Amino acid sequence: MTESIRTQVGIIGGGPSGLLLSQLLHLWGIDSVVLEKHSRDYVLGRIRAGVLEHSFAELMREAQVGARMDREGQIHEGFFIAHGGVRHRIDLEKLTGGKTVMVYGQTELTRDLYEARDRLGGLVIENAADVRPHDVETAHPYISYRQGDETLRVDCDFVVGCDGYHGVSRQSIPKDRIQTFEKIYPFGWLGVLSRTPPVSAELIYATHERGFALCSLRSATLSRYYVQVPLTDSTDAWSDERFFDELRCRLPPEVATAMITGPSIEKSIAPLRSFVVEPMRYGNLFLAGDAAHIVPPTGARGLNTAASDIYYLYHALVDHYTGGDDSGLESYSSRALARVWKGQRFSWWMTKLLHRFPDDSAYDQSLQHTELDYLFSSERALASLAENYVGLPF
Ligand code: FAD
Ligand code: PHB
């Protein structure tokens, strides 16, 4: 016989979106179960986002998981764009009337969320195989999964798909009930994490004729660097030496000279893609985060947009359970998508502004230069960039 667990909200995916939702619901007395395909160590081993917008940091505090982030994270008041060998500072604080971003790794944030779920007795089932949502068009949906030879099920009122771009939730929706929008870029980002002091206290996004590069960081002793590479490249072709030579080449000379390099402790290639699914709901299945949309990492929007989905959905579920008010659930998809598309626009714009596109004509390249010249000559253009980078209001 299939063993069954009963909960209010069944969450597929134990990444940041799923864990944050489960934690916020818990604080309102709403029960949830998180089903994660991989082990916790595997999830924590993925090096991804580093920049959190102000509203996300606030949501972490509201979820009572902001203490370590506030202690160890760094507030950044600006960042640089390097172009033509010159660094231009984007003064986020001045341009937005006081807003900043928080540099705190996705790994650390996810670890904090796992610890909070443990502390409060939240159920996060790891290594759940063959996870599948069922009967989501009815008032009695359930999720089936396997552990070893055993098939188990979670009965719930709502299923939330927080299982990322490759997850099962979106794929379980009939194709004629959703529309997808997609743009694939002809390059990826090769990222390296190294235990070295960062070359710059603030991030440097560099545009260069050999391609884009980014100098980021996780702490005073941990650097995160990226270079744009062709999609056909593999990490095997990139020794640490080749990586740092290429990175230096794309940076202004004074930055390249100051860089301290060391052995990589992680090296991976991420393809760049823009993707949105509409609507973000099918019956009693709701999609959130990368399960519903992804962006190229250039604008640092992915995790931040996932956080705004969770904000809307958590309020909608609280209104449903505490006041019998379903208006938030009804409007979830359209509210979330309005902000999702603004994140798509900004990420696409930053990507187009800073990367070398292999098929670009001389005309396209001149436009790109003009766009950069205009940006650095106009306080209003800079203010628009800054407003989007620190995050539009939820
Ligand atoms: P995920 O993190 O993908 O989590 C989904 C979870 O679901 C995973 O743990 C997965 O194992 C699990 N899962 C998948 N399938 C199943 C299944 N069938 N059953 C059960 N579980 C399943 N964003 C920013 O905001 N700022 C940044 O600075 C930034 N930098 C980035 C840099 C890089 C190199 C990359 C690749 C991304 C970056 N992002 C950034 C994007 C950010 O990492 C993602 O948007 C974020 O991980 C989305 O979180 P999520 O929980 O929605 O999805
Ligand atoms: C990172 O530190 O990994 C990072 C920072 C900013 C981005 C993307 C990635 O835009």
Side-chain angles (χ1 to χ4, degrees), residues 13 17 36-38 46 48-51 106 163 290 300 302-304:
S17 300
E36 166 57 49
K37 171 180 175 177
H38 292 292
R46 289 186 299 220
R48 287 170 155 197
V51 176
Q106 178 168 334
D163 48 349
D290 278 19
L303 182 56
N304 288 309

Side-chain angles (χ1 to χ4, degrees), residues 12-18 35-38 42-43 46-52 106 128 131 162-168 189 224 226 270 288-291 294 297 300-306:
I12 305 180
S17 300
L35 291 163
E36 166 57 49
K37 171 180 175 177
H38 292 292
Y42 179 92
V43 174
R46 289 186 299 220
I47 310 295
R48 287 170 155 197
V51 176
L52 313 181
Q106 178 168 334
V131 175
C162 293
D163 48 349
Y165 179 69
H166 298 287
V168 66
W189 279 19
R224 181 68 168 162
Y226 297 96
D290 278 19
I294 51 174
R301 291 302 79 206
L303 182 56
N304 288 309
T305 310

